[in-house]
Each structure stands twice: as structure tokens, then as C-alpha cells.
Amino acid sequence: MLPIVKPALGIAPEIINDPRIAEHFKRGLRVYSGIKEDVYVPSFMPDSSIVQQLNLDERDIVVTIRPPASEAHYHNPDSDKLFARVIEVLGHTLGVRMIILPRNEKTQKDYIHRTWPRWCKEGKIIIPDRVVDGLNLIWHSDLVISGGGTMNREAAALGIPVYSIFRGTLGAVDKYLAERGRLIMIETQEDVESKIRLVKRRKKPEENFGDSVALKQIMTAIGEVIEDRSVS
């Protein structure tokens, strides 16, 4: 719901360049390159302490997995089937460690422990017992598989291979990322084995993600509004 007072300027990702939205702002709508995660991700700095915190082995292929949002109104049960298939395939693959981030304690976490108790006990599946820095975890992963949401977009912004098992109606951002090869959609059981590449990623602790073009564009737009107001 847009505010009663008409703001001076609207700022949105380039994929939301809608004239109908622009009408609600005095100066219209300015867009920036990429997605909102491209605004803040370039300032990210890796922290290697998470390797010890989660007892990871540098030789393993680390896969971070976010289950589908099973309680959301937009949930499609096909996502759950893909999630289960992902766990089965990765669980039977040597040298793979799965870090699973359940969306809730009562249902998903219990389900994972009940369904794959041996892998949980052996450490093949790791469910962090405390909150972890999402960006840092993604960066220390070799790939990400998620039921949708921020984790997919942040992985794409970091340049980490990311696969979506979301089977609901695809949003504009996911379409944008998929069209540009920044997000790979897993749509069938067969896709789990044919599309997901379990490969070690070369990580550079000193990696520089560069300046945020999106942030510069936003600051320029805001600066123009401030300058015009000061002149008037």
C-alpha cells in the first residue's frame, strides 16, 4: 500500500520499471541495475571462522540448502518432493556435506532428523544450532540449493552457483536471474541429477566484489533530489 503523502521519488530495481508505480511519485520512478541484493552484497567481507564453527572439512563439497516455505500460501508440494530428492542424491554422494537451514523448528527440523537420522548423526547433514551469517555461509559454500527467497538472490549476487527448487508461480526477480544464467531452475526429479553440478569452488579470502553500481545509482538519484530541493 502506497503512502497518502506523495513522495518525491521512487527507486526500484530495473525489473520493476512500471509506469503505474511511477505515477505515485512526484519525480517518477528511477531504477538501478540488477536486484536489491546487488546494492549491499559488494561490501561483504568473508569470515573464515564459520569453517571451525560448523566443523567443515575444506576437502568436502559444501552445499547449503534452504527447504521450501511449506507453510506459505504460495507453496507447491512439488517443491517438497524436489527437496527430498536433493537430500537423497547428495546424501549418497561421497565427499558432500549438506548444511540445511530449516525454516522452522517443529516441522522441518524434526522431519529432517526423522527422515535422515544416520546422515544427521554422522555429520553428512549439518543443521546449525545457532544463527549464522547468511552471506558468509553462502560464500563458504560450493553451491546453494534453495526453495526460494533471499538466499537464492544473495548467492546470485555473490556469484555462487545457485539452484532453485521453488515450484510456485515464478516472480519477476527469479525470471530475471534465470534468464541471465545467475539462477538455475530445478523443475523435475531428473533435473536434480542432470542439472546440479557438485564441484568444488575456488574461494579467494581476499576476494573483492568491486563497487556497487546499484548503490552508486541510488545515491546519485537521492543526491539530485536533495540538490534540487536546496536550490528551490
Side-chain angles (χ1 to χ4, degrees):
M1 184 176 180
L2 292 170
I4 297 175
V5 177
K6 198 169 187 177
L9 180 69
I11 302 176
E14 59 187 346
I15 56 172
I16 310 180
N17 192 5
D18 191 332
R20 293 171 297 179
I21 298 177
E23 294 173 359
H24 294 277
F25 302 95
K26 295 176 183 178
R27 295 170 174 266
L29 184 69
R30 289 282 290 274
V31 298
Y32 56 84
S33 303
I35 58 178
K36 67 179 177 65
E37 285 74 15
D38 291 324
V39 176
Y40 62 86
V41 162
S43 64
F44 165 73
M45 296 292 290
D47 178 1
S48 62
S49 64
I50 196 170
V51 175
Q52 290 75 36
Q53 179 184 339
L54 297 178
N55 195 28
L56 300 178
D57 189 324
E58 295 286 0
R59 296 168 295 182
D60 288 334
I61 296 174
V62 178
V63 185
T64 291
I65 304 172
R66 182 74 158 161
S70 56
E71 297 178 350
H73 70 279
Y74 52 77
H75 177 63
N76 183 333
D78 287 346
S79 296
D80 296 323
K81 296 175 184 177
L82 290 176
F83 170 70
R85 183 59 182 161
V86 164
I87 304 304
E88 288 293 331
V89 170
L90 271 58
H92 286 97
T93 303
L94 293 175
V96 170
R97 298 281 291 281
M98 293 173 277
I99 303 174
I100 304 181
L101 304 175
R103 293 177 185 267
N104 55 67
E105 289 278 334
K106 290 187 177 180
T107 54
Q108 288 186 341
K109 186 175 181 179
D110 288 348
Y111 165 74
I112 292 166
H113 278 292
R114 287 197 317 270
T115 309
W116 300 285
R118 180 168 63 87
W119 290 338
C120 291
K121 184 177 180 180
E122 294 174 351
K124 182 81 171 178
I125 290 175
I126 299 172
I127 299 178
D129 58 4
R130 68 188 73 176
V131 176
V132 296
D133 182 324
L135 277 177
N136 200 38
L137 175 59
I138 292 170
W139 189 87
H140 282 88
S141 303
D142 294 295
L143 60 145
V144 171
I145 303 172
S146 175
T150 303
M151 182 161 284
N152 278 351
R153 298 190 297 270
E154 289 185 336
L158 282 170
I160 310 300
V162 54
Y163 303 84
S164 175
I165 54 175
F166 178 73
R167 297 302 298 131
T169 302
L170 211 58
V173 173
D174 281 358
K175 289 180 181 178
Y176 170 90
L177 293 173
E179 288 169 357
R180 285 157 179 76
R182 298 174 66 184
L183 174 67
I184 298 174
M185 303 304 300
I186 302 300
E187 301 173 313
T188 66
Q189 301 276 325
E190 292 72 24
D191 284 351
V192 173
E193 296 183 67
S194 65
K195 288 187 176 182
I196 297 177
R197 298 185 67 246
L198 299 172
V199 179
K200 283 292 294 179
R201 185 177 68 83
R202 185 180 177 187
K203 306 177 184 71
K204 301 176 182 178
E206 72 286 355
E207 187 168 0
N208 184 349
F209 297 99
D211 295 330
S212 172
V213 174
L215 180 58
K216 286 183 177 180
Q217 292 169 338
I218 291 172
M219 296 306 296
T220 297
I222 294 174
E224 290 173 358
V225 173
I226 294 174
E227 184 177 348
D228 288 349
R229 287 178 65 88
S230 63
V231 171
S232 60

